[in-house]
Amino acid sequence: MNSPSTPEKSATSQAIEIAIRLGLIFLIWSIVVSSSDMVLKPMLLGRGVNVPMLVILLGAIGGMITSGIVGLFIGAVILNITVLAVTTHPVPDAWSAAFSETTALSATT
């Protein structure tokens, strides 16, 4: 069936060819991801947001544990927003007012 001028490839050479193709695909994917990380990280995190790096790390690890690769990014963003919301809008004044009323009422009774 096959002509003598075109010998069949052995299973080993086919496996090597597949491995090389997969390696090149992974290399291209890695270059795309790392270059997008270099562009997007300063854009998203570098806008003067004073969030400690530990918060970003904990958000990334927690997101990765709960949601996988997507959670790696979403977890850090959600935790950053939460930290900024808590630190930007303090509630101690409302709590102190509520507690002072409670102590005033208990003192009069």
Side-chain angles (χ1 to χ4, degrees):
M1 292 204 175
N2 291 335
S3 64
S5 63
T6 58
E8 285 189 34
K9 292 182 179 179
S10 68
T12 305
S13 65
Q14 287 177 346
I16 291 172
E17 185 177 323
I18 291 171
I20 290 173
R21 286 184 184 173
L22 289 175
L24 288 174
I25 290 171
F26 182 70
L27 176 69
I28 292 169
W29 175 255
S30 298
I31 291 171
V32 168
V33 168
S34 65
S35 62
S36 67
D37 181 55
M38 287 186 290
V39 171
L40 292 177
K41 188 182 284 185
M43 286 173 51
L44 296 176
L45 296 177
R47 293 188 180 185
V49 179
N50 293 328
V51 177
M53 204 59 165
L54 181 63
V55 172
I56 296 170
L57 178 67
L58 290 176
I61 290 172
M64 179 76 171
I65 290 171
T66 59
S67 301
I69 296 294
V70 175
L72 181 68
F73 304 103
I74 300 297
V77 170
I78 289 174
L79 195 58
N80 284 338
I81 291 171
T82 304
V83 166
L84 289 175
V86 169
T87 58
T88 307
H89 305 290
V91 188
D93 294 334
W95 280 103
S96 63
F99 284 126
S100 65
E101 290 175 11
T102 306
T103 54
L105 289 175
S106 64
T108 59
T109 56

